[in-house]
Amino acid sequence: IISVSKWENKKIKDDFGIETEIIPNGIEVEEFLDVEPYEHGRQYLLCVGRLEKYKGVQDVIRAIVNLPAYDLLIAGSGPYRDRLEEVVKEEGVSGRVHFLGYVSDHALPSLYSGAEVFITLSSFESFGLTVGEALAAGAPCLVLRRGALVDWESYKGVIGIDTKEVEDVIDGIIQAESLSSCPQSVPRWEDHVDKLEQVYRAE
């Protein structure tokens, strides 16, 4: 049994009493390097992923009320979109939040590259693939210290926060915007394929 992070390994051990082989996912880094940044017309923050409550996009929306220099671009679809649109209206930021819906793999690198900060405040992630993609495209990242997202803090260009309180999110964004990432440090599939093969052959 293979897990993709120390957090997932612990969850499986706690729930089922089973030890796993920890082999992280990889990123196709070359797809994100040296791409033309997305042109939006204003500086923007970015969230990418399925629109579910636990992803915390609503908390980013509330934070940008006090960050007037930024728009927020949201890529993805899901059952929580209607509620997110309500939050946008409640907070009075309708002109600054843009729902992009599904974004193709081909278009994502440019979107990441143009972002001032990529943000994921998800309370439950076994790996956090979008963080790796954002770093590969050169975007600094803000993550919530939950699940496997804590592991990304060891990478250059990533800031972690402990809560989704508006003040903490704003402070995290301000800290992250001054950082630079190191795309070459992002885990690649070629770094892990040999280990995966060894595990399967051992069985």
PDB file of all heavy atoms in Angstrom, residues 156-182:
ATOM      1  N   LYS A 156      10.670  26.531  -0.808  1.00  0.00           N
ATOM      2  CA  LYS A 156      10.835  27.976  -0.971  1.00  0.00           C
ATOM      3  C   LYS A 156       9.603  28.561  -1.664  1.00  0.00           C
ATOM      4  O   LYS A 156       9.133  28.031  -2.660  1.00  0.00           O
ATOM      5  CB  LYS A 156      12.077  28.265  -1.805  1.00  0.00           C
ATOM      6  CG  LYS A 156      12.362  29.743  -1.972  1.00  0.00           C
ATOM      7  CD  LYS A 156      13.605  29.964  -2.832  1.00  0.00           C
ATOM      8  CE  LYS A 156      13.847  31.463  -3.029  1.00  0.00           C
ATOM      9  NZ  LYS A 156      15.020  31.716  -3.909  1.00  0.00           N
ATOM     10  N   GLY A 157       9.091  29.652  -1.098  1.00  0.00           N
ATOM     11  CA  GLY A 157       7.956  30.318  -1.719  1.00  0.00           C
ATOM     12  C   GLY A 157       6.611  29.975  -1.114  1.00  0.00           C
ATOM     13  O   GLY A 157       5.577  30.393  -1.637  1.00  0.00           O
ATOM     14  N   VAL A 158       6.610  29.228   0.003  1.00  0.00           N
ATOM     15  CA  VAL A 158       5.344  28.816   0.619  1.00  0.00           C
ATOM     16  C   VAL A 158       5.247  29.350   2.050  1.00  0.00           C
ATOM     17  O   VAL A 158       6.174  29.181   2.848  1.00  0.00           O
ATOM     18  CB  VAL A 158       5.196  27.282   0.635  1.00  0.00           C
ATOM     19  CG1 VAL A 158       3.856  26.891   1.270  1.00  0.00           C
ATOM     20  CG2 VAL A 158       5.302  26.715  -0.770  1.00  0.00           C
ATOM     21  N   ILE A 159       4.115  29.983   2.356  1.00  0.00           N
ATOM     22  CA  ILE A 159       3.795  30.455   3.704  1.00  0.00           C
ATOM     23  C   ILE A 159       2.612  29.645   4.224  1.00  0.00           C
ATOM     24  O   ILE A 159       1.648  29.403   3.497  1.00  0.00           O
ATOM     25  CB  ILE A 159       3.425  31.954   3.693  1.00  0.00           C
ATOM     26  CG1 ILE A 159       4.647  32.813   3.400  1.00  0.00           C
ATOM     27  CG2 ILE A 159       2.771  32.375   5.003  1.00  0.00           C
ATOM     28  CD1 ILE A 159       5.628  32.915   4.543  1.00  0.00           C
ATOM     29  N   GLY A 160       2.669  29.233   5.490  1.00  0.00           N
ATOM     30  CA  GLY A 160       1.557  28.514   6.105  1.00  0.00           C
ATOM     31  C   GLY A 160       0.920  29.356   7.197  1.00  0.00           C
ATOM     32  O   GLY A 160       1.608  30.131   7.878  1.00  0.00           O
ATOM     33  N   ILE A 161      -0.401  29.208   7.349  1.00  0.00           N
ATOM     34  CA  ILE A 161      -1.112  29.888   8.438  1.00  0.00           C
ATOM     35  C   ILE A 161      -1.913  28.852   9.220  1.00  0.00           C
ATOM     36  O   ILE A 161      -2.292  27.805   8.692  1.00  0.00           O
ATOM     37  CB  ILE A 161      -2.040  31.011   7.925  1.00  0.00           C
ATOM     38  CG1 ILE A 161      -3.026  30.481   6.867  1.00  0.00           C
ATOM     39  CG2 ILE A 161      -1.222  32.164   7.376  1.00  0.00           C
ATOM     40  CD1 ILE A 161      -4.036  31.521   6.399  1.00  0.00           C
ATOM     41  N   ASP A 162      -2.189  29.163  10.481  1.00  0.00           N
ATOM     42  CA  ASP A 162      -2.845  28.202  11.370  1.00  0.00           C
ATOM     43  C   ASP A 162      -4.370  28.276  11.346  1.00  0.00           C
ATOM     44  O   ASP A 162      -5.042  27.313  11.696  1.00  0.00           O
ATOM     45  CB  ASP A 162      -2.362  28.406  12.815  1.00  0.00           C
ATOM     46  CG  ASP A 162      -0.906  27.991  12.987  1.00  0.00           C
ATOM     47  OD1 ASP A 162      -0.548  26.900  12.509  1.00  0.00           O
ATOM     48  OD2 ASP A 162      -0.143  28.761  13.582  1.00  0.00           O
ATOM     49  N   THR A 163      -4.915  29.427  10.981  1.00  0.00           N
ATOM     50  CA  THR A 163      -6.365  29.574  10.966  1.00  0.00           C
ATOM     51  C   THR A 163      -6.816  30.259   9.679  1.00  0.00           C
ATOM     52  O   THR A 163      -6.008  30.853   8.955  1.00  0.00           O
ATOM     53  CB  THR A 163      -6.877  30.415  12.155  1.00  0.00           C
ATOM     54  OG1 THR A 163      -6.741  31.807  11.849  1.00  0.00           O
ATOM     55  CG2 THR A 163      -6.130  30.088  13.430  1.00  0.00           C
ATOM     56  N   LYS A 164      -8.137  30.192   9.429  1.00  0.00           N
ATOM     57  CA  LYS A 164      -8.715  30.861   8.272  1.00  0.00           C
ATOM     58  C   LYS A 164      -9.363  32.186   8.651  1.00  0.00           C
ATOM     59  O   LYS A 164     -10.168  32.725   7.898  1.00  0.00           O
ATOM     60  CB  LYS A 164      -9.728  29.931   7.588  1.00  0.00           C
ATOM     61  CG  LYS A 164      -9.089  28.695   6.976  1.00  0.00           C
ATOM     62  CD  LYS A 164     -10.051  27.900   6.130  1.00  0.00           C
ATOM     63  CE  LYS A 164     -10.936  27.010   6.965  1.00  0.00           C
ATOM     64  NZ  LYS A 164     -11.744  26.077   6.129  1.00  0.00           N
ATOM     65  N   GLU A 165      -9.005  32.706   9.822  1.00  0.00           N
ATOM     66  CA  GLU A 165      -9.505  34.015  10.220  1.00  0.00           C
ATOM     67  C   GLU A 165      -9.021  35.066   9.217  1.00  0.00           C
ATOM     68  O   GLU A 165      -7.895  34.991   8.705  1.00  0.00           O
ATOM     69  CB  GLU A 165      -9.007  34.372  11.621  1.00  0.00           C
ATOM     70  CG  GLU A 165      -9.536  33.468  12.722  1.00  0.00           C
ATOM     71  CD  GLU A 165     -11.040  33.578  12.896  1.00  0.00           C
ATOM     72  OE1 GLU A 165     -11.568  34.700  12.717  1.00  0.00           O
ATOM     73  OE2 GLU A 165     -11.679  32.558  13.203  1.00  0.00           O
ATOM     74  N   VAL A 166      -9.877  36.047   8.948  1.00  0.00           N
ATOM     75  CA  VAL A 166      -9.572  37.052   7.932  1.00  0.00           C
ATOM     76  C   VAL A 166      -8.213  37.699   8.153  1.00  0.00           C
ATOM     77  O   VAL A 166      -7.417  37.850   7.211  1.00  0.00           O
ATOM     78  CB  VAL A 166     -10.682  38.130   7.892  1.00  0.00           C
ATOM     79  CG1 VAL A 166     -10.242  39.331   7.053  1.00  0.00           C
ATOM     80  CG2 VAL A 166     -11.972  37.542   7.319  1.00  0.00           C
ATOM     81  N   GLU A 167      -7.917  38.060   9.390  1.00  0.00           N
ATOM     82  CA  GLU A 167      -6.646  38.737   9.678  1.00  0.00           C
ATOM     83  C   GLU A 167      -5.458  37.850   9.337  1.00  0.00           C
ATOM     84  O   GLU A 167      -4.441  38.327   8.814  1.00  0.00           O
ATOM     85  CB  GLU A 167      -6.584  39.150  11.154  1.00  0.00           C
ATOM     86  CG  GLU A 167      -7.596  40.201  11.558  1.00  0.00           C
ATOM     87  CD  GLU A 167      -8.990  39.623  11.803  1.00  0.00           C
ATOM     88  OE1 GLU A 167      -9.150  38.377  11.777  1.00  0.00           O
ATOM     89  OE2 GLU A 167      -9.919  40.421  12.008  1.00  0.00           O
ATOM     90  N   ASP A 168      -5.566  36.550   9.632  1.00  0.00           N
ATOM     91  CA  ASP A 168      -4.467  35.630   9.344  1.00  0.00           C
ATOM     92  C   ASP A 168      -4.290  35.438   7.844  1.00  0.00           C
ATOM     93  O   ASP A 168      -3.160  35.345   7.344  1.00  0.00           O
ATOM     94  CB  ASP A 168      -4.708  34.279  10.023  1.00  0.00           C
ATOM     95  CG  ASP A 168      -4.565  34.354  11.531  1.00  0.00           C
ATOM     96  OD1 ASP A 168      -3.889  35.279  12.022  1.00  0.00           O
ATOM     97  OD2 ASP A 168      -5.146  33.505  12.223  1.00  0.00           O
ATOM     98  N   VAL A 169      -5.413  35.363   7.126  1.00  0.00           N
ATOM     99  CA  VAL A 169      -5.338  35.182   5.672  1.00  0.00           C
ATOM    100  C   VAL A 169      -4.693  36.406   5.028  1.00  0.00           C
ATOM    101  O   VAL A 169      -3.797  36.283   4.176  1.00  0.00           O
ATOM    102  CB  VAL A 169      -6.738  34.929   5.077  1.00  0.00           C
ATOM    103  CG1 VAL A 169      -6.653  34.822   3.544  1.00  0.00           C
ATOM    104  CG2 VAL A 169      -7.348  33.649   5.654  1.00  0.00           C
ATOM    105  N   ILE A 170      -5.119  37.585   5.447  1.00  0.00           N
ATOM    106  CA  ILE A 170      -4.543  38.817   4.899  1.00  0.00           C
ATOM    107  C   ILE A 170      -3.048  38.883   5.181  1.00  0.00           C
ATOM    108  O   ILE A 170      -2.236  39.179   4.292  1.00  0.00           O
ATOM    109  CB  ILE A 170      -5.258  40.049   5.475  1.00  0.00           C
ATOM    110  CG1 ILE A 170      -6.698  40.124   4.964  1.00  0.00           C
ATOM    111  CG2 ILE A 170      -4.493  41.333   5.127  1.00  0.00           C
ATOM    112  CD1 ILE A 170      -7.532  41.193   5.645  1.00  0.00           C
ATOM    113  N   ASP A 171      -2.667  38.594   6.414  1.00  0.00           N
ATOM    114  CA  ASP A 171      -1.247  38.634   6.787  1.00  0.00           C
ATOM    115  C   ASP A 171      -0.451  37.619   5.970  1.00  0.00           C
ATOM    116  O   ASP A 171       0.656  37.914   5.510  1.00  0.00           O
ATOM    117  CB  ASP A 171      -1.102  38.339   8.280  1.00  0.00           C
ATOM    118  CG  ASP A 171       0.335  38.489   8.749  1.00  0.00           C
ATOM    119  OD1 ASP A 171       0.918  39.576   8.564  1.00  0.00           O
ATOM    120  OD2 ASP A 171       0.891  37.506   9.291  1.00  0.00           O
ATOM    121  N   GLY A 172      -1.021  36.434   5.763  1.00  0.00           N
ATOM    122  CA  GLY A 172      -0.344  35.419   4.974  1.00  0.00           C
ATOM    123  C   GLY A 172      -0.150  35.834   3.530  1.00  0.00           C
ATOM    124  O   GLY A 172       0.912  35.602   2.935  1.00  0.00           O
ATOM    125  N   ILE A 173      -1.169  36.452   2.950  1.00  0.00           N
ATOM    126  CA  ILE A 173      -1.065  36.925   1.565  1.00  0.00           C
ATOM    127  C   ILE A 173       0.031  37.976   1.446  1.00  0.00           C
ATOM    128  O   ILE A 173       0.853  37.936   0.522  1.00  0.00           O
ATOM    129  CB  ILE A 173      -2.418  37.488   1.088  1.00  0.00           C
ATOM    130  CG1 ILE A 173      -3.439  36.360   0.936  1.00  0.00           C
ATOM    131  CG2 ILE A 173      -2.253  38.234  -0.240  1.00  0.00           C
ATOM    132  CD1 ILE A 173      -4.865  36.826   0.719  1.00  0.00           C
ATOM    133  N   ILE A 174       0.056  38.907   2.378  1.00  0.00           N
ATOM    134  CA  ILE A 174       1.065  39.972   2.348  1.00  0.00           C
ATOM    135  C   ILE A 174       2.472  39.391   2.472  1.00  0.00           C
ATOM    136  O   ILE A 174       3.404  39.816   1.775  1.00  0.00           O
ATOM    137  CB  ILE A 174       0.789  40.994   3.468  1.00  0.00           C
ATOM    138  CG1 ILE A 174      -0.498  41.764   3.169  1.00  0.00           C
ATOM    139  CG2 ILE A 174       1.966  41.961   3.621  1.00  0.00           C
ATOM    140  CD1 ILE A 174      -0.992  42.619   4.314  1.00  0.00           C
ATOM    141  N   GLN A 175       2.628  38.396   3.336  1.00  0.00           N
ATOM    142  CA  GLN A 175       3.950  37.755   3.465  1.00  0.00           C
ATOM    143  C   GLN A 175       4.327  37.000   2.198  1.00  0.00           C
ATOM    144  O   GLN A 175       5.462  37.057   1.728  1.00  0.00           O
ATOM    145  CB  GLN A 175       3.946  36.786   4.642  1.00  0.00           C
ATOM    146  CG  GLN A 175       3.891  37.422   6.012  1.00  0.00           C
ATOM    147  CD  GLN A 175       4.000  36.374   7.093  1.00  0.00           C
ATOM    148  OE1 GLN A 175       5.011  35.675   7.217  1.00  0.00           O
ATOM    149  NE2 GLN A 175       2.953  36.250   7.895  1.00  0.00           N
ATOM    150  N   ALA A 176       3.353  36.282   1.641  1.00  0.00           N
ATOM    151  CA  ALA A 176       3.639  35.420   0.486  1.00  0.00           C
ATOM    152  C   ALA A 176       3.978  36.220  -0.764  1.00  0.00           C
ATOM    153  O   ALA A 176       4.812  35.796  -1.574  1.00  0.00           O
ATOM    154  CB  ALA A 176       2.444  34.502   0.215  1.00  0.00           C
ATOM    155  N   GLU A 177       3.351  37.387  -0.934  1.00  0.00           N
ATOM    156  CA  GLU A 177       3.517  38.128  -2.186  1.00  0.00           C
ATOM    157  C   GLU A 177       4.957  38.575  -2.424  1.00  0.00           C
ATOM    158  O   GLU A 177       5.344  38.841  -3.567  1.00  0.00           O
ATOM    159  CB  GLU A 177       2.579  39.331  -2.223  1.00  0.00           C
ATOM    160  CG  GLU A 177       2.912  40.408  -1.220  1.00  0.00           C
ATOM    161  CD  GLU A 177       1.945  41.582  -1.264  1.00  0.00           C
ATOM    162  OE1 GLU A 177       1.183  41.680  -2.245  1.00  0.00           O
ATOM    163  OE2 GLU A 177       1.948  42.394  -0.319  1.00  0.00           O
ATOM    164  N   SER A 178       5.749  38.646  -1.374  1.00  0.00           N
ATOM    165  CA  SER A 178       7.134  39.089  -1.529  1.00  0.00           C
ATOM    166  C   SER A 178       8.102  37.929  -1.762  1.00  0.00           C
ATOM    167  O   SER A 178       9.293  38.138  -1.944  1.00  0.00           O
ATOM    168  CB  SER A 178       7.575  39.858  -0.281  1.00  0.00           C
ATOM    169  OG  SER A 178       7.573  39.016   0.863  1.00  0.00           O
ATOM    170  N   LEU A 179       7.579  36.700  -1.766  1.00  0.00           N
ATOM    171  CA  LEU A 179       8.430  35.528  -1.901  1.00  0.00           C
ATOM    172  C   LEU A 179       8.609  35.133  -3.373  1.00  0.00           C
ATOM    173  O   LEU A 179       7.819  35.509  -4.231  1.00  0.00           O
ATOM    174  CB  LEU A 179       7.821  34.342  -1.148  1.00  0.00           C
ATOM    175  CG  LEU A 179       7.600  34.507   0.355  1.00  0.00           C
ATOM    176  CD1 LEU A 179       6.961  33.248   0.917  1.00  0.00           C
ATOM    177  CD2 LEU A 179       8.911  34.801   1.062  1.00  0.00           C
ATOM    178  N   SER A 180       9.634  34.359  -3.615  1.00  0.00           N
ATOM    179  CA  SER A 180       9.827  33.748  -4.934  1.00  0.00           C
ATOM    180  C   SER A 180       9.934  32.243  -4.736  1.00  0.00           C
ATOM    181  O   SER A 180      10.433  31.777  -3.709  1.00  0.00           O
ATOM    182  CB  SER A 180      11.085  34.294  -5.611  1.00  0.00           C
ATOM    183  OG  SER A 180      12.231  34.046  -4.801  1.00  0.00           O
ATOM    184  N   SER A 181       9.442  31.505  -5.709  1.00  0.00           N
ATOM    185  CA  SER A 181       9.490  30.045  -5.603  1.00  0.00           C
ATOM    186  C   SER A 181      10.717  29.511  -6.333  1.00  0.00           C
ATOM    187  O   SER A 181      11.418  30.247  -7.021  1.00  0.00           O
ATOM    188  CB  SER A 181       8.219  29.421  -6.199  1.00  0.00           C
ATOM    189  OG  SER A 181       8.214  29.568  -7.608  1.00  0.00           O
ATOM    190  N   CYS A 182      10.961  28.223  -6.159  1.00  0.00           N
ATOM    191  CA  CYS A 182      12.075  27.564  -6.850  1.00  0.00           C
ATOM    192  C   CYS A 182      11.498  26.364  -7.608  1.00  0.00           C
ATOM    193  O   CYS A 182      11.422  25.258  -7.064  1.00  0.00           O
ATOM    194  CB  CYS A 182      13.132  27.107  -5.848  1.00  0.00           C
ATOM    195  SG  CYS A 182      14.552  26.293  -6.616  1.00  0.00           S
TER     196      CYS A 182
END
